[in-house]
Structure formats: structure tokens, C-alpha cells
Amino acid sequence: MKTAEATAATTTVLSSGYKRSPKSNGTVNGTAAKKTGVNHGNGGDISNGKVSFMKWTLDDVVYVAKYHRLPCFFAAWFLFFIYVEYTLRMVPDSSPPYDLGFVVTRSFHRALASWPELNSLLAALNTVFVAMQSVYIIGTWVVEGRPRATISALFMFTCRGILGYSTQLPLPQEFVGSGMDFPVGNVSFFLFYSGHVAGSVIASLDMRRMQRWELAWLFDILNVLQAVRLLGTRGHYTIDLAVGVGAGILFDSLAGKYIESRRKSAVA
């Protein structure tokens, strides 16, 4: 009798379009997958090589909106920026580039431009922070024998040099330089992308791997302040800073893959 009841209960669960099977490791059952054409519980993988979202019902749409909120969020922004892109007036070649970061830091820029001592002080503090990054990244290899952060920095700066030379962006017209800045003095430098920001991200990621949480958060906060200062001095465009963050994450990952491949080769 108990066996019959268990069989009936299992049949009831499997026949429900959106209840999860207790033996499916969190995946939805075949009925839901057939209805949407997508195996929701397996990260949205294609089921049986077919995607039949044109046959979705309202329940399917609700399910996707409920359990796949992040892709839906980005889909909404995708549609929004399609509208923005095709209705936006292009910046004429006679005008300087438009930068939202410059607009946000306009008051800060005026303060730095009118107060050279403050600008030099912040430049000196930023140079100290860059030195902290460099000492930590090199120290992970020389002192601790962990080369990943150092290799990722080498990858990052090499790619930065290639891209920076390939497309040489104009220096912002309102640039406020300082002899205390790094590189020391008002020398030439690549705008795209920010090595300051990318190097800080690489150091912070290594600190997290080593569970040096307080130091990692300190570097993150200093990196944000550094980005604000770079925008205020017009030393970088917003896109330089944003790509700097992505570059730090990307090259840290690539360095990890490189080290792992070398390790496997040595074992083989």
C-alpha cells in the first residue's frame, strides 16, 4: 500500500509543469523543459538541440522572469541602450569627447585646477598607492613564491601598451597635471586603459585568494578614490577606468590558466 502511495505521489510531482523533482538535483522535470524548450535547471541549456521559445505560454515567461532575473535585467538594459544608441546625437569632430565621469566630477575638477597644492598632495598620495600595488604584486612572487599576480600584471601591461599605442586618444583639454604624479612629472602616457586601476584589481584579487580580506577591501576603497581623482584631473576617461577593472579581472584569470597549464605539463 505504501508503495502504491509513493508511486502516486511521484507521478503527481512529475506531472506538474514547474515543480522540481527530488531526484533531479534541482532541475525541472521533462514536462517544463518540453514546454519551454530549455532545461531551466541546467543553466538554460538547450534541450534536445531545440529552442522553442516561440511556443512559450504565460507560465513559461513568468518562470523565466522569476528564476532567471539577471539575464532578464540585462535584456531590459540591452533594449534600453539600443534605443539610446540609435537616437543619440553623435559628438561632432569639432567638440571634445563627451564623458559622463567628467560631468559628475566637474566641481572636483574646478577645485583641483584652482588649488595646485591640493592637486599635488592627492597626486603624491596616489603615487604612494601605486607603489603599494607594485610592492605587493612583485612581493607575491619574490617573497612568497606565488607568481600569478606578477604574471597577470605583465600580461596586463603588455596588452595595455599594444592597445594604447594602436589607438592614441587625445589628452583631455582640461587635464590637470602634477609633478608628484606617477609616472613622475608631466610625461606622456597611454590613456587606454588605466594601468593604475587594473594593477589595483590584480592585487585585490590576489589578496582575496589568500583571505587577506581587510587589505583587499582597503585596496578596493583606495582604487575607487583613485578613479575619482583620475576623473577629476582628467587624467583618464571613464572608459579607461571601466576597462581597467575588466582588464585586471581578465588577466588575473588568464594568468591562473597559464600557471595551471604549466603545472599539468610538468606533471605529464
Side-chain angles (χ1 to χ4, degrees), residues 219-246:
F219 264 57
D220 289 341
I221 293 171
L222 293 176
N223 201 12
V224 171
L225 296 176
Q226 171 182 247
V228 173
R229 175 192 165 262
L230 291 171
L231 289 173
T233 61
R234 307 303 188 247
H236 274 294
Y237 295 104
T238 301
I239 192 172
D240 304 330
L241 306 176
V243 174
V245 174

Side-chain angles (χ1 to χ4, degrees), residues 35-115:
K35 291 177 69 176
T36 60
V38 176
N39 186 344
H40 299 290
N42 194 26
D45 292 341
I46 296 175
S47 176
N48 298 326
K50 297 180 180 180
V51 177
S52 55
F53 64 89
M54 296 301 293
K55 299 179 182 179
W56 283 7
T57 64
L58 180 59
D59 289 340
D60 299 321
V61 175
V62 170
Y63 181 92
V64 171
K66 183 177 181 180
Y67 292 101
H68 298 279
R69 295 177 181 178
L70 188 61
C72 291
F73 172 80
F74 284 114
W77 279 106
F78 167 71
L79 296 175
F80 171 74
F81 281 114
I82 284 181
Y83 170 79
V84 171
E85 181 177 3
Y86 291 122
T87 58
L88 188 69
R89 293 183 60 184
M90 300 291 287
V91 177
D93 56 5
S94 58
S95 300
Y98 172 81
D99 193 291
L100 182 60
F102 289 3
V103 175
V104 173
T105 59
R106 187 176 295 155
S107 299
F108 184 41
H109 169 74
R110 285 197 294 264
L112 294 176
S114 61
W115 196 353

Side-chain angles (χ1 to χ4, degrees), residues 149-173:
T150 306
I151 293 174
S152 60
L154 292 175
F155 285 179
M156 182 272 291
F157 279 110
T158 300
C159 185
R160 178 176 179 268
I162 294 172
L163 295 177
Y165 184 81
S166 300
T167 301
Q168 301 178 33
L169 300 174
L171 189 68
Q173 296 177 359

Side-chain angles (χ1 to χ4, degrees), residues 137-188:
I137 291 174
I138 296 174
T140 57
W141 173 43
V142 176
V143 178
E144 300 180 2
R146 298 184 298 104
R148 176 168 173 172
T150 306
I151 293 174
S152 60
L154 292 175
F155 285 179
M156 182 272 291
F157 279 110
T158 300
C159 185
R160 178 176 179 268
I162 294 172
L163 295 177
Y165 184 81
S166 300
T167 301
Q168 301 178 33
L169 300 174
L171 189 68
Q173 296 177 359
E174 300 176 329
F175 173 66
V176 180
S178 171
M180 300 298 295
D181 212 343
F182 179 83
V184 178
N186 297 313
V187 299
S188 60

Side-chain angles (χ1 to χ4, degrees), residues 184-208:
V184 178
N186 297 313
V187 299
S188 60
F189 58 92
F190 293 133
L191 284 167
F192 186 84
Y193 42 83
S194 173
H196 290 68
V197 171
S200 180
V201 170
I202 290 172
S204 176
L205 290 173
D206 185 86
M207 293 168 185
R208 283 177 163 77

